[in-house]
Amino acid sequence: ADPHDVRLALFGGRLLERGVSQSLFDYADLAETLLGVQRPIILYSAPGSRPDVVARFERRFGRDRVVPVPAIDDETAASVAAWQRAVDAAIERFGVTHVYSQRFGADDGRLPTSPHVLTGIHCVF
């Protein structure tokens, strides 16, 4: 796909000061500056995120493009469904074509349900 046609959303869970959050920031930044992808959407779990880190993402990518979604602290069907509804709403709102997600190894059921989105999962541990 032409990078200018890609509408990328990235998800890495809670936004914290290092680790997954730092690489998520770097990947989103470089996708835009090096690859020419339109300004990415950042999806994050609001509960437990650090406000100063959320503010850093908002300054770089725009407040409207840093979107909180429910955390999945348990892997119940209701919890996963709430996450999927929020992510699918963001996909629809921003016309997302690709979703990149960083995970901690276990299959937690978090996948967008939109059939028009390509999803990549990066298992980091």
Side-chain angles (χ1 to χ4, degrees):
D2 181 338
H4 297 92
D5 295 334
V6 171
R7 302 217 188 255
L8 178 64
L10 298 94
F11 176 77
R14 292 169 179 87
L15 295 181
L16 303 171
E17 70 279 359
R18 57 192 188 123
V20 170
S21 297
Q22 183 59 52
S23 65
L24 197 74
F25 186 94
D26 292 344
Y27 294 168
D29 180 57
L30 294 172
E32 183 179 17
T33 59
L34 289 181
L35 300 178
V37 170
Q38 295 183 30
R39 183 160 290 172
I41 308 302
I42 307 299
L43 305 172
Y44 73 99
S45 298
S49 288
R50 287 187 43 160
D52 58 321
V53 177
V54 173
R56 177 178 180 238
F57 276 81
E58 290 175 343
R59 282 191 304 274
R60 168 59 184 88
F61 301 105
R63 180 169 287 195
D64 66 320
R65 302 181 83 79
V66 180
V67 181
V69 298
I72 298 180
D73 291 323
D74 58 33
E75 294 179 16
T76 63
S79 180
V80 171
W83 183 88
Q84 287 173 322
R85 281 192 302 277
V87 169
D88 288 344
I91 287 169
E92 176 83 19
R93 176 177 164 205
F94 291 102
V96 170
T97 59
H98 296 72
V99 174
Y100 167 83
S101 180
Q102 288 189 19
R103 306 282 175 80
F104 297 112
D107 182 358
D108 58 11
R110 288 183 292 185
L111 287 172
T113 60
S114 173
H116 306 291
V117 174
L118 296 174
T119 301
I121 299 174
H122 179 174
C123 181
V124 294
F125 299 107

